[in-house]
Amino acid sequence: MRTLGVTLLVICLTVAVGYCDTVYYRTADGSWASMEAAVEDGRLHIEIGPQAAPNGEAVLVINKPEWMVLDDTDAPTLLGLKVNGEARPTSTDTLQLGCLSGDTADVVIGVKDDKNPIDAAGASFRLGDAHDVTVEVDTSGLGPPKTSGRMVVKMSGVQAGQYQGTLRLSDMAPLSNSRSWPVSFTVMGISVSDDKQSVSLAGLGAGYLMATGTKEQQLLLPNGLWAKLTSNMGGTYLYPREFTDVEIIKDTEQEKTVLVTANVVDLEDNPTEGLGKLEYELTVRSDTPALLVTTRSINISDKDISNSPNWGWLPCPYYCTPEGQQEWSSGGDKARYSTIGKVGWLWLAPRTEGQPGLLWVSADSFGEFMGGSILLYGSGGTTKPGEFVAMKLAFAPADSPAEAEQIYEDLVAKGLVTPVEKGE
């Protein structure tokens, strides 16, 4: 076995002309000590013994700047955060920049260290999976001799959606102390693909995707699940085939709405002409993470037909209503379908660790399918040519039933969803 150790090591370094210089070294207990090193012929001669090189490793500081504090083991902290001139909290582990509007953003970050300056070269702000976004970082406000300052981040080319990134800071202590913060923000808005077959939407801290492709994948939710609209018209199950029109019908700083129209296919993916079409009216807002959804299953035939839409099916390990956590009542040898009823809202527990739960809001009736997924029944009936059956619902990410209820009550208070009357 090889044992590391230092008996005596002599190092010669070229330095400015002088007679001696002070060299600082870190001892075994983490404290700092100093020694005087002679300068001969422009070279600094340092003798390192076991005291200056515990475990065979030496940490030396030569030509220490006046501002440097050796005994520093704490990483930098944040003094403040402003996004487009508005203050944001800095006391959380994740920096939430909020819901932004427009395609640019100015972020000003106040930083400090208790003892040493912030390393301007080591300060960074990076976004993940955002190749079209330009990020410019100005760290000229950092560095010695001040132990506080600010860095300015300018982003351009941002589009509607959710973004994740990382802020990293280091100080200029001899053994640099670093800390990083996850960064999260949403750019509010609606972005339509060039072929008009997918629509990205983002509100306060949540993003959604409406797309064509398969019957099962229509609306992608923040918890990674796809929700789908199924419309039974005249005994034929209809699903969107392709988007025939995409129109942004409301565009304000607080609220944005898109109307998507789709033709249909049946259960076997056969195009079904002259029977029905679907409309999806989708709204995001700057004051709620919820996506507000209104769908219309429209009879375009020349006769009266039955029309029964529903939304689903969303799997979850368990779910909660305003009455608390519920036990699955169907599945196995029991009925395939079981009614939950008009409860106003459900919270669906996440299936995957790290994913949020899901708030699902509607005044329509919820139900179970095979004790493992949730669906929502529309108030169907017979429709004349040109008539439709509408369904109104909302989705939002929520980490707990309590948070889900809070979001629901906020939606009701704003008049954005219709509450369920007791006794319904």
Side-chain angles (χ1 to χ4, degrees), residues 11 39 65 172 273 328 334 396:
I11 298 177
V39 176
M172 298 183 72
E273 305 294 340
W328 292 107
K334 299 181 181 180

Side-chain angles (χ1 to χ4, degrees), residues 141-393:
L142 306 178
K146 299 182 298 182
T147 59
S148 63
R150 69 176 196 170
M151 61 185 294
V152 179
V153 179
K154 293 183 178 292
M155 293 181 284
S156 59
V158 292
Q159 298 182 2
Q162 285 184 291
Y163 292 84
Q164 306 291 332
T166 304
L167 167 68
R168 183 174 177 82
L169 297 173
S170 302
D171 66 14
M172 298 183 72
L175 298 175
S176 178
N177 303 296
S178 300
R179 182 180 172 182
S180 60
W181 291 262
V183 176
S184 176
F185 66 94
T186 301
V187 178
M188 180 189 170
I190 298 172
S191 177
V192 182
S193 65
D194 291 339
D195 62 1
K196 294 189 176 182
Q197 296 306 298
S198 67
V199 180
S200 298
L201 307 101
L204 178 62
Y208 304 83
L209 175 68
M210 184 75 201
T212 57
T214 70
K215 298 187 299 292
E216 306 299 324
Q217 296 183 341
Q218 297 177 30
L219 180 60
L220 180 61
L221 303 171
N223 65 344
L225 295 179
W226 289 87
K228 65 178 180 179
L229 169 67
T230 301
S231 298
N232 186 334
M233 294 191 189
T236 301
Y237 290 98
L238 302 181
Y239 305 86
R241 178 178 59 169
E242 63 181 359
F243 298 156
T244 57
D245 189 38
V246 179
E247 180 185 3
I248 296 178
I249 60 176
K250 189 169 186 177
D251 188 4
T252 68
E253 287 191 3
Q254 185 180 38
E255 182 174 304
K256 299 180 187 295
T257 301
V258 63
L259 179 63
V260 179
T261 305
N263 56 23
V264 294
V265 294
D266 64 15
L267 190 59
E268 284 74 37
D269 286 327
N270 299 311
T272 305
E273 305 294 340
L275 182 56
K277 70 175 181 179
L278 305 173
E279 287 184 351
Y280 300 80
E281 188 174 310
L282 310 171
T283 297
V284 289
R285 292 173 57 94
S286 62
D287 59 355
T288 177
L291 175 72
L292 307 174
V293 180
T294 298
T295 56
R296 303 177 187 91
S297 302
I298 306 170
N299 175 9
I300 62 171
S301 74
D302 57 2
K303 60 183 179 181
D304 295 358
I305 58 172
S306 60
N307 193 341
S308 299
N310 60 64
W311 270 90
W313 282 255
L314 294 182
C316 59
Y318 67 91
Y319 67 94
C320 298
T321 71
E323 302 300 321
Q325 183 171 332
Q326 304 298 310
E327 299 293 332
W328 292 107
S329 58
S330 60
D333 59 353
K334 299 181 181 180
R336 297 179 68 205
Y337 296 91
S338 179
T339 300
I340 299 172
K342 295 185 176 183
V343 293
W345 63 270
L346 297 178
W347 181 75
L348 281 59
R351 294 196 307 164
T352 305
E353 185 177 354
Q355 291 283 4
L358 183 73
L359 167 66
W360 192 353
V361 176
S362 182
D364 286 329
S365 182
F366 288 95
E368 298 178 8
F369 176 70
M370 292 297 291
S373 59
I374 305 294
L375 63 158
L376 179 69
Y377 300 102
S379 300
T382 299
T383 51
K384 298 182 181 298
E387 292 183 344
F388 58 82
V389 175
M391 293 186 69
K392 292 182 178 292
L393 54 149

Side-chain angles (χ1 to χ4, degrees), residues 53-171:
N55 301 317
E57 298 177 351
V59 179
L60 306 178
V61 176
I62 302 170
N63 294 331
K64 184 182 81 68
E66 290 186 7
W67 48 259
M68 179 179 285
V69 177
L70 300 174
D71 184 16
D72 182 4
T73 58
D74 294 325
T77 57
L78 302 183
L79 283 174
L81 175 66
K82 285 189 175 181
V83 181
N84 293 335
E86 294 186 7
R88 295 284 189 267
T90 58
S91 58
T92 56
D93 290 334
T94 298
L95 295 184
Q96 301 284 353
L97 304 190
C99 185
L100 314 182
S101 60
D103 60 358
T104 63
D106 292 338
V107 182
V108 179
I109 306 168
V111 300
K112 70 179 291 289
D113 190 84
D114 287 340
K115 296 180 179 179
N116 280 289
I118 308 297
D119 182 8
S124 66
F125 182 99
R126 293 186 173 92
L127 295 181
D129 193 23
H131 305 295
D132 296 332
V133 179
T134 300
V135 179
E136 299 178 0
V137 180
D138 179 4
T139 60
S140 60
L142 306 178
K146 299 182 298 182
T147 59
S148 63
R150 69 176 196 170
M151 61 185 294
V152 179
V153 179
K154 293 183 178 292
M155 293 181 284
S156 59
V158 292
Q159 298 182 2
Q162 285 184 291
Y163 292 84
Q164 306 291 332
T166 304
L167 167 68
R168 183 174 177 82
L169 297 173
S170 302
D171 66 14

